Amino acid sequence: MNYKVIIPPTEEPLTLDETKLHLRVDNMDEDDYISALITAAREQVEQITGRALLLQIIQQKYTDFPRKSKEDYPAIRLLKSPVAEVSSITYKVEELVDEVLTIVDAEMEAEDYIITSTEPAYIVPNVGTDFPSTNCEIENVIVEYIAGYPTAADVPQSIKFAMLLLIGDLYENRQDGIRNLPRASQALLNPYRTNKY
């Protein structure tokens, strides 16, 4: 399963001023560089935790919908949390159009599925139904959804502090090398990981 950020967040969890205060930088010479570090740290933290830190539009593509088995109920796992809303679930299906078998676009109606409130969230078909049948082409099923905390103030403080520690490490060590995420950052982020399994 892969995801793609269609529309990134319009702000960052940390401001330039609070980041410079943490770095003990009081001039404007490296503002652009520090701003780039803030974005890089957010992207790294999102990758590590499986979270979207601020509202963004995510797209996931599949060859087909999952099918019910004896052991499992069909479910689409949404790879970024927290999920604010599912915008659309589209897929291709074969239909007779003017007596010609044609591949057309279709969209699931919101009442046909349920979004769980878990982290990670799952999309499951409504009770007594199943996901639709498709023509099973590559990247046939497309799920788009909005994920992230509503505002920077809603991002947990531990995540912000982990970002500051990561930014401090990147700021002080500007050359590439064999390095791991700072231990304190790992400890702060572990409780927020949704992609442990």
Side-chain angles (χ1 to χ4, degrees):
M1 290 185 294
N2 291 319
Y3 71 90
K4 180 179 181 181
V5 178
I6 302 300
I7 300 179
T10 56
E11 62 175 330
E12 295 293 347
L14 298 171
T15 66
L16 179 61
D17 287 345
E18 65 187 319
T19 306
K20 286 172 70 173
L21 182 65
H22 174 77
L23 297 174
R24 296 187 176 97
V25 174
D26 57 7
N27 59 63
M28 299 169 54
D29 298 345
E30 296 186 300
D31 281 8
D32 290 344
Y33 179 69
I34 294 169
S35 294
L37 288 179
I38 293 170
T39 301
R42 174 185 51 82
E43 291 171 349
Q44 182 69 26
V45 166
E46 288 177 336
Q47 188 68 33
I48 292 166
T49 62
R51 291 182 177 276
L53 296 191
L54 287 165
L55 292 175
Q56 50 197 273
I57 298 180
I58 310 289
Q59 184 183 81
Q60 292 177 205
K61 293 183 179 182
Y62 303 87
T63 298
D64 197 5
F65 288 105
R67 295 291 163 209
K68 191 185 313 187
S69 69
K70 288 184 179 179
E71 297 82 23
D72 296 314
Y73 202 72
I76 297 171
R77 179 181 174 180
L78 299 178
L79 298 178
K80 289 295 178 183
S81 298
V83 173
E85 139 187 11
V86 172
S87 309
S88 65
I89 304 174
T90 58
Y91 59 98
K92 296 186 186 304
V93 66
E94 293 179 336
E95 277 186 11
L96 277 175
V97 178
D98 297 330
E99 299 183 5
V100 176
L101 196 60
T102 308
I103 296 173
V104 298
D105 291 327
E107 183 171 348
M108 281 190 75
E109 299 294 330
E111 59 267 18
D112 294 334
Y113 59 86
I114 298 166
I115 306 156
T116 68
S117 58
T118 57
E119 288 190 350
Y122 291 85
I123 298 172
V124 295
N126 223 329
V127 178
T129 65
D130 198 357
F131 285 119
S133 296
T134 71
N135 69 342
C136 295
E137 290 187 352
I138 292 173
E139 296 188 341
N140 177 39
V141 177
I142 301 174
V143 180
E144 287 193 7
Y145 60 101
I146 301 169
Y149 296 97
T151 68
D154 297 309
V155 177
Q157 198 61 41
S158 292
I159 292 178
K160 289 183 182 180
F161 198 66
M163 283 182 63
L164 287 171
L165 293 176
L166 179 56
I167 291 165
D169 187 60
L170 292 170
Y171 185 80
E172 292 297 326
N173 302 287
R174 300 189 184 201
Q175 301 304 315
D176 196 11
I178 300 171
R179 301 183 60 77
N180 293 318
L181 188 70
R183 284 189 204 166
S185 294
Q186 289 183 45
L188 288 164
L189 294 176
N190 278 340
Y192 294 95
R193 289 184 58 180
T194 65
N195 54 2
K196 295 177 185 176
Y197 310 105

